[in-house]
């Protein structure tokens, strides 16, 4: 198998089939990319804020300034980090060990999903009994099925409620990663072409989806047949970045094109009405479909990714000491995501029970972010202590 360290060096051609490793070369463990962890940490904090309706800080998150939001970032970086963590593992430890590690990671993500679902159902049920109020969405469809039947269908990933539907997508994509990796060893562009064709088919025919009993249209909100393209792009991006010593080739025309598109996305996708400003949209079109990663959203994400991974200043900024806790959030993404989900749930309950006054909004947002950052600090400290006791304490991903 091939590890990322064996890829072509700077100045070589664009990403291609992974070359065979040099005989007898001892593979090294992958080095974490601080850009990935910092950006993923920011995405997790943003997801927490965006998951609370009528939340004033949500007017300043990424989705207000273009077509993409934190979900696209999360999935693309999931593909990137999967290639870094598990692509090299196939070479370092062999196929069996790598598949076992991926299976354990999938199981761990599923257990977090199950715990979040159970906690959410119980908390919402208690809130309903205490207040007499009922949820308008989220786990409402599952509770309408009955607490136990709804829980069982949720555990079977047959009923995915709002706000708890991205981890099932992650499980599915990570389970498919060995196939993605095997294909990329033979030809990256072929895998991207097949993945892109599947994305296009899902955008043309919205019936190409997995069933979801908790959705009106009976399909996963994050259509896996479409979202897999972002995951595969992220995996290919990791190969390209490593092949060029950590930075994509920076071309003036590409930078100008990416910046111009992001400027258009800002004008077209800006939340002008919510900001109380004149509408500056140049085209009379609605927001592009998120569930299927519509082309405008996909291009927006590609432009952001290119600028991030081709700009040396971004790499330097990601190592700034002031972003250390955000970086820790990205490195412990599963635990921080779970904490953010529960904090957002409490925020939604408080906003629904009481008016979302400014003092309450400050308390909910500051408290939730403090919990996420504090947990990241504790997990990082524990990881450092574990690393001091043995070289095998760290786990990839």
């Amino acid at each position: 198998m091939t590890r990322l360290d064996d890829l072509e060096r700077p100045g070589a051609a664009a990403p291609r089939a992974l070359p065979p490793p040099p005989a007898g070369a001892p593979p090294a463990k992958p080095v974490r990319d601080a850009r990935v962890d910092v950006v993923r940490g920011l995405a997790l904090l943003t997801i927490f804020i965006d998951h609370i309706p009528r939340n004033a800080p949500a007017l300043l998150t990424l989705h207000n300034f273009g077509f993409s939001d934190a979900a696209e970032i999360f999935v693309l970086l999931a593909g990137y980090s999967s290639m870094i963590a598990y692509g090299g593992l196939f070479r370092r430890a062999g196929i069996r060990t790598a598949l076992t590690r991926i299976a354990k990671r999938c199981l761990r993500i599923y257990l977090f999903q199950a715990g979040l679902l159970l906690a959410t159902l119980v908390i919402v049920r208690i809130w309903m009994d205490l207040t007499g109020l009922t949820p308008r969405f989220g786990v409402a469809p599952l509770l309408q099925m009955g607490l136990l039947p709804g829980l069982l269908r949720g555990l079977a990933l047959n009923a995915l409620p709002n706000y708890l539907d991205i981890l099932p997508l992650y499980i599915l994509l990570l389970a498919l990663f060995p196939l993605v990796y095997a294909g990329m060893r033979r030809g990256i562009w072929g895998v991207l072409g097949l993945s892109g064709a599947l994305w296009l088919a899902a955008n043309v025919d919205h019936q190409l989806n997995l069933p979801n009993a908790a959705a009106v249209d009976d399909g996963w909100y994050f259509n896996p047949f479409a979202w897999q393209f972002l995951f595969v792009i992220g995996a290919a991006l990791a190969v390209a970045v490593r092949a060029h010593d950590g930075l994509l080739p920076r071309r003036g025309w590409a930078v100008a094109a990416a910046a111009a598109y992001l400027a258009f996305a800002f004008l077209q996708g800006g939340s002008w009405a919510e900001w109380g400003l004149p509408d500056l949209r140049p085209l009379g079109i609605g927001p592009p479909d998120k569930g299927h990663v519509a082309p405008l959203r996909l291009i927006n994400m590609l432009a952001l990714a290119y600028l991030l991974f081709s700009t040396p200043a971004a790499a330097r900024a990601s190592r700034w000491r002031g972003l250390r806790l955000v970086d820790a959030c990205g490195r412990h993404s599963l635990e921080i995501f779970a904490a953010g989900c529960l904090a957002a749930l409490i925020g939604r309950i408080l906003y629904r029970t009481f008016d979302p006054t400014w003092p309450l909004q400050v308390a909910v947002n500051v408290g939730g972010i403090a919990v996420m950052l504090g947990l990241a600090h504790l997990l990082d400290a524990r990881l450092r202590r574990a690393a001091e006791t043995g070289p095998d304490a760290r786990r990839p991903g």
Side-chain angles (χ1 to χ4, degrees):
M1 291 296 176
T2 302
R3 60 186 172 88
L4 298 177
D5 301 73
D6 297 325
L7 296 180
E8 53 195 331
R9 305 319 304 162
R16 59 188 181 193
L18 305 185
K29 289 188 177 181
V31 178
R32 298 194 74 104
D33 189 332
R35 291 168 300 188
V36 173
D37 290 325
V38 167
V39 173
R40 182 163 47 193
L42 291 172
L44 291 170
L45 296 173
T46 298
I47 288 173
F48 156 70
I49 293 171
D50 285 340
H51 276 189
I52 307 175
R54 299 185 294 165
N55 199 24
L59 292 174
L60 300 176
T61 53
L62 182 61
H63 73 91
N64 296 281
F65 298 90
F67 299 128
S68 298
D69 63 15
E72 280 101 338
I73 293 175
F74 186 84
V75 173
L76 183 135
L77 293 183
Y80 187 105
S81 58
S82 293
M83 178 59 81
I84 295 294
Y86 301 110
L89 190 63
F90 279 101
R91 163 83 187 280
R92 294 195 307 271
I95 297 177
R96 182 176 179 179
T97 298
L99 292 178
T100 300
R101 189 77 62 84
I102 291 173
K104 288 181 178 179
R105 181 65 174 173
C106 288
L107 176 60
R108 189 165 188 268
I109 298 170
Y110 175 80
L111 292 176
F112 268 77
Q113 170 72 9
L116 283 172
L117 178 64
L118 177 60
T120 300
L121 287 171
V122 170
I123 291 172
V124 171
R125 182 73 256 182
I126 293 174
W127 169 73
M128 290 171 62
D129 292 340
L130 292 176
T131 65
L133 298 173
T134 58
R136 298 190 179 100
F137 44 87
V139 294
L142 275 68
L143 290 171
Q144 291 167 3
M145 301 173 190
L147 184 58
L148 182 57
L151 174 61
L152 293 177
R153 297 196 71 170
L155 293 176
L157 305 184
N158 176 253
L160 304 181
N162 298 105
Y163 306 127
L164 293 179
D165 46 5
I166 197 168
L167 287 186
L169 173 69
Y170 190 12
I171 294 170
L172 180 59
L173 295 179
L174 185 56
L176 292 175
F177 175 76
L179 294 179
V180 174
Y181 178 76
M184 285 189 174
R185 290 195 66 239
R186 291 164 175 81
I188 289 180
W189 291 113
V191 174
L192 285 171
L194 289 174
S195 178
L198 189 57
W199 163 80
L200 182 60
N203 272 268
V204 172
D205 181 8
H206 288 191
Q207 297 302 311
L208 181 61
N209 201 343
L210 296 181
N212 180 12
V216 176
D217 59 0
D218 199 34
W220 284 28
Y221 176 71
F222 294 104
N223 186 325
F225 294 97
W227 282 77
Q228 54 78 31
F229 193 26
L230 270 178
F231 182 85
V232 172
I233 290 173
L237 178 64
V239 175
V241 169
R242 177 57 65 91
H244 293 89
D245 275 353
L247 284 174
L248 294 178
R250 191 170 178 84
R251 304 286 185 262
W253 64 267
V255 172
Y261 185 83
L262 292 177
F264 161 71
F266 168 66
L267 293 175
Q268 184 65 38
S271 299
W272 306 108
E274 289 80 358
W275 293 335
L277 299 173
D279 191 343
L280 299 181
R281 291 179 297 171
L283 301 177
I285 59 176
D289 180 28
K290 178 178 178 178
H292 298 83
V293 198
L296 290 177
R297 299 183 71 100
L298 178 66
I299 299 173
N300 195 131
M301 194 62 243
L302 293 178
L304 288 171
Y306 176 73
L307 293 180
L308 171 66
F309 287 101
S310 67
T311 304
R316 292 193 297 269
S318 66
R319 294 188 290 270
W320 179 44
R321 185 177 180 85
L323 293 174
R324 184 173 54 187
L325 286 180
V326 176
D327 177 270
C329 286
R331 279 184 278 113
H332 304 283
S333 56
L334 186 55
E335 295 87 347
I336 301 306
F337 175 81
C341 282
L342 293 178
L345 172 64
I346 299 302
R348 292 195 298 273
I349 287 177
L350 291 173
Y351 283 18
R352 180 73 191 283
T353 307
F354 312 99
D355 290 331
T357 60
W358 281 107
L360 180 58
Q361 292 201 40
V362 169
V364 165
N365 286 279
V366 172
I369 291 175
V371 166
M372 296 170 73
L373 295 177
L375 177 61
H377 173 72
L378 292 176
L379 292 172
D380 227 28
R382 187 181 70 176
L383 192 63
R384 286 195 299 270
R385 289 194 299 270
E388 293 171 357
T389 62
D392 298 324
R394 292 185 182 272
R395 55 178 171 79

